[in-house]
Amino acid sequence: MRFLLVEDSATLAQSVAERLALDGHAIDIAASLADAEDCLAIAGYDLILLDIMLPDGDGRSFLARQRAALRETPVIVMTARSSVSDRVHMLDIGADDYITKPFDFAELEARCRAVLRRRGGSASNIRSFADVEFDILAATLTVGGIPRELRNRELRLLEILISSPERVFSKSHLSDRLFSFTEDASENAIEVYVGRLRRKLEGSKVRIETLRGVGYRLTAQ
């Protein structure tokens, strides 16, 4: 998944980005609202992590503008404000969740998973398709009940494909979701990860089908 982290503290931003990257997520960092707008103009995101006090404005106004423009990307507000009225206001203007600074990284990761689950219309961390089961929380894949080892980027690729079986995902969409601006990754890299994931799915009733010139989809035999 690709996240936009809007945070002006370089130290905190780097720490959060490094932690989330361990799970295979691609993270773009914006140190201001203007930078965030620039990122949103050229990339799609699965989740926005939004600080409130930024050098060029208030994150709450940014959030309100996103919702007024009918942009539905989930937003978790990261704030030092902890009063009930602040939390109520942030939720009312469109935040999907909030976390109070200083926070534990494990809690942030859990809140990210919860928001993404709700976005996908599920309350469970488990995604099943045919004889394949993917546990988002445990980051595990089983085929017919037998564990298969995946690396982080392979896990995120499977997470995207299994979120909508039979849907065709283009190379550009997958690249956009798997790599940040700072990563030098061509669409050929998608072919590499698809190949690796195919090998991990060998022997299952599920396969990754290539639709030449269109993209890839997860389908059952």
Side-chain angles (χ1 to χ4, degrees):
M1 297 295 176
R2 187 170 183 173
F3 296 174
L4 176 60
L5 172 58
V6 189
E7 169 61 61
D8 64 330
S9 167
T11 301
L12 177 59
Q14 194 61 37
S15 297
V16 171
E18 289 176 356
R19 180 64 181 249
L20 294 174
L22 291 176
D23 288 333
H25 298 297
I27 314 297
D28 291 319
I29 298 174
S32 67
L33 296 180
D35 289 347
E37 294 283 6
D38 288 344
C39 290
L40 288 167
I42 56 177
Y45 292 94
D46 298 289
L47 181 65
I48 298 173
L49 301 172
L50 178 65
D51 188 15
I52 291 296
M53 303 302 292
L54 291 155
D56 57 348
D58 189 317
R60 289 169 295 190
S61 300
F62 170 86
L63 173 59
R65 290 197 300 275
Q66 295 297 308
R67 296 309 186 228
L70 303 181
R71 295 171 182 153
E72 298 180 348
T73 305
V75 174
I76 296 178
V77 173
M78 304 188 305
T79 177
R81 297 173 180 268
S82 58
S83 71
V84 172
S85 61
D86 282 327
R87 298 198 298 269
V88 168
H89 177 64
M90 286 183 279
L91 292 170
D92 280 345
I93 63 174
D96 296 85
D97 199 359
Y98 62 87
I99 188 166
T100 305
K101 297 177 182 177
F103 50 77
D104 187 279
F105 286 132
E107 181 182 356
L108 176 63
E109 290 171 320
R111 289 181 181 276
C112 291
R113 288 192 295 270
V115 167
L116 292 172
R117 281 200 308 271
R118 290 198 294 272
R119 183 194 188 201
S122 174
S124 171
N125 284 310
I126 307 296
R127 300 282 187 274
S128 299
F129 184 55
D131 59 346
V132 166
E133 186 172 277
F134 174 56
D135 187 327
I136 298 171
L137 177 58
T140 57
L141 163 70
T142 59
V143 175
I146 300 173
R148 301 281 176 94
E149 185 176 348
L150 293 182
R151 296 183 178 180
N152 284 343
R153 199 79 75 178
E154 297 160 6
L155 285 167
R156 295 308 155 210
L157 175 59
L158 177 59
E159 184 177 3
I160 295 170
L161 294 174
I162 204 171
S163 68
S164 297
E166 305 294 349
R167 173 186 165 184
V168 179
F169 293 92
S170 68
K171 271 188 186 179
S172 60
H173 177 91
L174 294 175
S175 180
D176 186 60
R177 285 296 188 271
L178 291 174
F179 300 105
S180 67
F181 292 127
T182 59
E183 296 173 290
D184 184 19
S186 68
E187 291 188 0
N188 289 337
I190 297 300
E191 295 180 12
V192 173
Y193 285 109
V194 167
R196 290 178 181 174
L197 186 54
R198 277 188 173 130
R199 289 193 288 276
K200 303 297 176 62
L201 294 171
E202 285 179 352
S204 77
K205 298 177 181 176
V206 168
R207 64 189 177 94
I208 302 174
E209 182 180 11
T210 300
L211 286 84
R212 191 170 300 279
V214 180
Y216 303 96
R217 68 179 176 185
L218 198 66
T219 188
Q221 296 175 345

